[in-house]
Amino acid sequence: MSTWEGRVEDFDLLTGLARFGGDLNAEGALWLGFVRSTVARAAIVTIDRSAAAALDGVVGVFTADDLELITQPSVEGITPTEISRPPLAQGSVAYVGEAVAVVVAVSEAIATDACEMVEVDYEPLHPLTDLASATDEEAPLLHPRHGSNIVLTVPPGNPASVRPALDQADATVTVSQHYPRVACSPIEGIAGLVAPNEDRVVIHVNSQMPALTHDELTSILALPDDQVSVVVPPIGGGFGGKCWGENGLFAVAARLCQGLNRPLRLVQTRTENLLSMQARDQDQSITLAADQNGTVTALEAEVNADVGGYAGMGAFEPLQTQRLLPGPYRIDQVAVTASAVMTNTVPTGPYRGPGRAEAIGLLERAMDNLARALDLDPAELRRRNLLRPEDFPRQTPGELTMDEADHLGALEQALAKIGYPKLREEQAARRVSGDHRLLGIGLSCWADFTGRHEPCQPASARVTGDGRIEIDAGIAPIGQGMQTVVAHLAANALGLDPALIVAAAPDTGRFRSALGSFGSRSASLAGSSAVEVANRLREVLKERAAELLEAAVSDIELRSDATLGVRGSPSTGIPLGDLAGTEAAAAFDQGQPTFPGGTHVAVVEVDSETGAVDLLRHVAVTDCGRLLNEVMASGQVQGGAVQGIAVALFEEMRYDADANPLTVTLADYLVPAASDVPEVETHFIETPTDRNPLGAKGVAESGAIAAPPAVQNAIVDALSHLGVTHIDMPCTPGRIWHAIRVSDQGDPTTR
């Protein structure tokens, strides 16, 4: 473990020098505004833009028919074009908020006014509001050419072996729940600037995946690869939403830029962001079986995801859920069925731990109920079933191979840090006294797979004219501190001062393979590739210096004073600046994802008279392999945990019976303030992986995966003596109050 001083990002971020997507401007820049659908499902009859076009300051109003844009499959080779979200609606709309037309104006205010003046005549069609309506035998098809509202079906695996294990078990429990639809809610929505250039269109966009965005935009625009550059500015939060969102709108901007030859600004409003960047939304059911000793013998589950009006990246989250069950436990008989279904809601996509948060949320909810069925403490049941060192490597149901993590050690440390036995004593005492402030303790043991192995992570390096080394590891700067990580890892590999290393912002015009930041891959993959390319650059520099000094390459050394010279001859030396332009490239392929793990423990106080919840403490113990920087890792865990706590207590995107969204502002959609959560207490265990040279595993998504069921379990635990066995997230005061009252009437379960 190391602690690095002097984060290189902080000065610009803290002094306001960083230029985020919404800050970008250029002389003569025009504003884009988007006319959005007000109905969930309809045919577009006519679009009357005459009044808007006549407004002073409006340059033009355009529809899909004007721009000759090509809809591309959301995921190449998997989701066909007919179910992929088009840049602008083409003949019909599939959800409220879908972009129907674009206004170009000289100011944001005029663009907004003009959008309200565009009149769209819709022929409303019956909307499909949920999974049940979309999968009914009589359900209309959202996209008739596809022939089904079901996008993806994952077969159960090995149900023939699971069913006997369930039938022969000493105890079984079944839990059904809805994992809520949430908004990514980054502090900054999709934003950027498109600028004309002599030989290409330069698109500045806050995308987490610049290479994929590049490919998507060139395909939509039908332009050669070298006529588009995607440049990524600092990003005000990503969380997965900026891997997808409405990046396709930048193709609209790029086409208009070509025609108008003017820079164009595109900045989402908060409502637009809430209407375009949604995630999660699964109906889930799980059955766990165990013998009388508390050994879990079988797991059977079904998960069905609502992926919205078009099938994007969110369509593959059920597959992610299937891959991660049975999490960190030694359960050999597993069968998981999964599907993705389209409805007339906002298309979903990745959000911090996509599919994996849903897996752990379902599994950990069931583990608590199984413990009570066996009359075991929830911690003891987990202790008896967690994977041990001798269980690794272990094959998952999704044909991934888990590497070792200290799951049992994380549980024991978390219990010790929280003071578990004393909390149970206090809980019992409160129940005896009749105190209406009920204490609950919730556990969540988790595993995750991070650092996806497809594709591999390339990197480039070059020496600049001022004698510094610029490293492009393809990482989008989403606030995770990777500029510091890259600088320090490369400097350590080269034996140089980190101040001499510059972590370049992604620019696909300069370095095509700018893959970006997603899937907790930055440290393990990009960090490893930064080391690889630094080592390769050293060899190239030594070869050039050897030629200039007429010496053998083996005799050349790169010195800490940023010169190259002959070993044993300190008077000879070539400054790095004299070798400006020297370049190197390398790539790192991890081969398999890494599997971090750990335990979260939440302590809550529930007021049985009002249903109000006070989260008293939250402890997170994480095994993320080798810990590269504890301060930054802790920040990642804390941030993710707060988002997870919000899912458990506050956040939910809601729709009415006509698929109209009900949570379109931050007055309706509740995100937590600092006062709503305690400080998340973070602790780490190190079990280095052998899958990359750093020994590191991903950590950024762990909090969002593990925290929700820990808090949910704590709330149910507080009420368990009253007969409550389940409350769906978010566990609002209203739901809790209702659960208590229903249990008083003899029904122990509520949703």
Side-chain angles (χ1 to χ4, degrees):
M1 183 181 74
S2 63
T3 300
W4 298 328
E5 302 295 334
R7 281 168 39 103
V8 301
E9 302 93 344
D10 288 353
F11 183 80
D12 286 356
L13 293 173
L14 296 177
T15 59
L17 293 177
R19 306 293 290 170
F20 293 89
D23 298 323
L24 301 178
N25 203 350
E27 184 176 355
L30 302 172
W31 275 89
L32 298 187
F34 290 89
V35 180
R36 295 180 178 273
S37 173
T38 56
V39 293
R41 182 167 179 250
I44 299 173
V45 180
T46 60
I47 300 176
D48 184 354
R49 40 191 163 172
S50 56
L55 185 66
D56 188 32
V58 171
V59 175
V61 183
F62 305 89
T63 67
D65 292 338
D66 302 316
L67 301 178
E68 298 182 352
L69 301 172
I70 303 170
T71 299
Q72 292 298 306
S74 299
V75 180
E76 188 66 39
I78 310 254
T79 54
T81 301
E82 63 263 20
I83 58 174
S84 296
R85 175 160 49 181
L88 290 177
Q90 298 176 342
S92 64
V93 293
Y95 62 95
V96 173
E98 183 171 1
V100 174
V102 57
V103 170
V104 183
V106 297
S107 72
E108 181 181 17
I110 293 174
T112 300
D113 289 344
C115 285
E116 295 178 356
M117 299 172 70
V118 175
E119 296 184 5
V120 184
D121 183 13
Y122 297 103
E123 180 183 333
L125 300 170
H126 179 68
L128 303 177
T129 58
D130 54 26
L131 291 169
S133 63
T135 54
D136 185 88
E137 290 184 0
E138 303 299 321
L141 297 178
L142 264 61
H143 305 290
R145 282 201 302 150
H146 183 59
S148 174
N149 293 327
I150 298 175
V151 180
L152 176 75
T153 300
V154 180
N158 191 17
S161 64
V162 171
R163 180 45 53 187
L166 293 173
D167 293 340
Q168 297 164 16
D170 294 316
T172 62
V173 296
T174 297
V175 173
S176 297
Q177 72 171 1
H178 178 71
Y179 204 104
R181 176 179 286 239
V182 297
C184 296
S185 305
I187 196 169
E188 170 200 42
I190 296 293
L193 174 76
V194 180
N197 192 279
E198 291 182 2
D199 59 349
R200 66 181 66 198
V201 178
V202 180
I203 302 169
H204 300 263
V205 53
N206 52 7
S207 167
Q208 288 179 239
M209 303 177 73
L212 183 64
T213 300
H214 181 112
D215 292 343
E216 179 184 14
L217 297 183
T218 54
S219 297
I220 293 172
L221 296 166
L223 288 176
D225 195 71
D226 61 357
Q227 288 189 19
V228 171
S229 286
V230 173
V231 182
V232 178
I235 299 175
F239 315 129
K242 287 172 185 165
C243 293
W244 49 288
E246 288 190 318
N247 286 337
L249 295 183
F250 275 87
V252 175
R255 178 68 82 220
L256 292 169
C257 180
Q258 287 179 303
L260 299 171
N261 200 34
R262 295 273 297 275
L264 298 172
R265 298 182 69 184
L266 191 163
V267 181
Q268 278 185 340
T269 65
R270 177 54 56 186
T271 292
E272 285 180 311
N273 182 258
L274 287 170
L275 283 175
S276 66
M277 203 177 281
Q278 299 180 15
R280 311 285 200 231
D281 203 345
Q282 278 191 12
D283 280 353
Q284 307 178 311
S285 179
I286 188 172
T287 299
L288 288 181
D291 63 22
Q292 60 184 353
N293 296 318
T295 299
V296 182
T297 56
L299 180 161
E300 185 177 57
E302 180 179 356
V303 296
N304 301 295
D306 181 341
V307 301
Y310 299 99
M313 291 183 181
F316 301 96
E317 293 192 20
L319 177 60
Q320 304 283 64
T321 302
Q322 184 260 357
R323 284 177 168 176
L324 194 56
L325 290 169
Y329 299 111
R330 193 191 313 106
I331 308 174
D332 294 324
Q333 302 301 331
V334 178
V336 182
T337 303
S339 71
V341 180
M342 292 180 292
T343 69
N344 289 116
T345 58
V346 171
T348 63
Y351 173 59
R352 214 163 188 172
R356 291 116 64 204
E358 293 91 320
I360 298 303
L362 178 61
L363 178 62
E364 287 303 281
R365 189 73 279 286
M367 287 294 286
D368 258 31
N369 278 15
L370 181 59
R372 293 188 177 95
L374 292 165
D375 197 25
L376 281 175
D377 185 280
E380 180 58 29
L381 178 65
R382 289 168 170 83
R383 185 179 286 120
R384 295 183 186 184
N385 289 278
L386 283 169
L387 293 166
R388 309 295 176 99
E390 61 268 21
D391 295 317
F392 297 103
R394 183 173 179 84
Q395 200 78 8
T396 74
E399 299 183 351
L400 299 174
T401 302
M402 299 179 73
D403 56 352
E404 185 178 347
D406 189 358
H407 295 287
L408 184 60
L411 171 65
E412 300 296 0
Q413 186 176 141
L415 296 174
K417 295 292 184 183
I418 205 75
Y420 190 72
K422 288 187 177 180
L423 285 171
R424 287 296 181 198
E425 291 174 6
E426 181 182 350
Q427 181 185 59
R430 288 197 190 194
R431 289 176 177 178
V432 170
S433 71
D435 193 335
H436 67 90
R437 296 171 299 119
L438 304 175
L439 195 68
I441 308 104
L443 303 178
S444 173
C445 296
W446 62 277
D448 187 21
F449 51 89
T450 66
R452 313 292 164 70
H453 56 287
E454 295 178 346
C456 69
Q457 179 69 35
S460 69
R462 69 183 185 93
V463 180
T464 62
D466 59 358
R468 296 195 293 174
I469 295 174
E470 187 176 65
I471 302 240
D472 190 337
I475 293 302
I478 56 176
Q480 79 279 51
M482 274 306 296
Q483 293 97 316
T484 295
V485 173
V486 167
H488 281 267
L489 288 174
N492 185 61
L494 293 167
L496 297 175
D497 187 331
L500 294 174
I501 311 297
V502 178
D507 179 348
T508 62
R510 183 187 60 191
F511 182 49
R512 182 64 187 81
S513 299
L515 295 176
S517 304
F518 55 95
S520 296
R521 68 196 303 276
S522 296
S524 62
L525 285 179
S528 294
S529 68
V531 172
E532 296 278 338
V533 80
N535 289 331
R536 177 58 188 148
L537 179 65
R538 180 199 293 107
E539 297 308 310
V540 174
L541 288 169
K542 288 171 63 177
E543 290 168 4
R544 287 198 60 189
E547 293 178 4
L548 295 172
L549 296 172
E550 298 181 344
V553 174
S554 59
D555 291 333
I556 300 296
E557 60 183 1
L558 175 59
R559 298 166 178 161
S560 60
D561 63 355
T563 64
L564 289 107
V566 178
R567 188 177 291 105
S569 300
S571 60
T572 64
I574 301 174
L576 267 180
D578 290 356
L579 301 176
T582 303
E583 297 182 345
F588 175 73
D589 188 346
Q590 192 164 254
Q592 278 274 353
T594 61
F595 282 78
T599 295
H600 281 219
V601 186
V603 182
V604 302
E605 194 173 71
V606 180
D607 189 324
S608 62
E609 297 179 351
T610 66
V613 176
D614 188 9
L615 180 57
L616 304 179
R617 289 183 67 191
H618 195 103
V619 167
V621 178
T622 305
D623 185 343
C624 57
R626 181 182 170 223
L627 190 58
L628 300 180
N629 183 288
E630 185 169 2
V631 172
M632 286 194 284
S634 179
Q636 290 291 310
V637 173
Q638 290 181 41
V642 169
Q643 288 178 303
I645 291 166
V647 172
L649 295 178
F650 307 114
E651 297 190 28
E652 183 178 29
M653 296 300 305
R654 294 181 289 109
Y655 289 80
D656 68 13
D658 295 318
N660 294 307
L662 301 175
T663 44
V664 297
T665 72
L666 293 182
D668 313 304
Y669 184 81
L670 303 180
V671 296
S675 58
D676 293 319
V677 294
E679 180 180 353
V680 176
E681 303 165 42
T682 60
H683 308 276
F684 295 94
I685 293 174
E686 296 187 73
T687 308
T689 183
D690 60 1
R691 294 182 177 175
N692 62 66
L694 303 178
K697 303 179 182 183
V699 70
E701 294 166 287
S702 63
I705 291 169
V711 176
Q712 184 186 24
N713 280 342
I715 292 168
V716 176
D717 178 67
L719 307 176
S720 60
H721 66 297
L722 302 178
V724 175
T725 61
H726 182 70
I727 301 173
D728 264 3
M729 297 184 292
C731 301
T732 60
R735 284 181 175 172
I736 294 170
W737 187 89
H738 179 70
I740 296 171
R741 299 310 178 271
V742 169
S743 68
D744 287 342
Q745 299 170 19
D747 183 349
T749 306
T750 185
R751 293 189 64 187

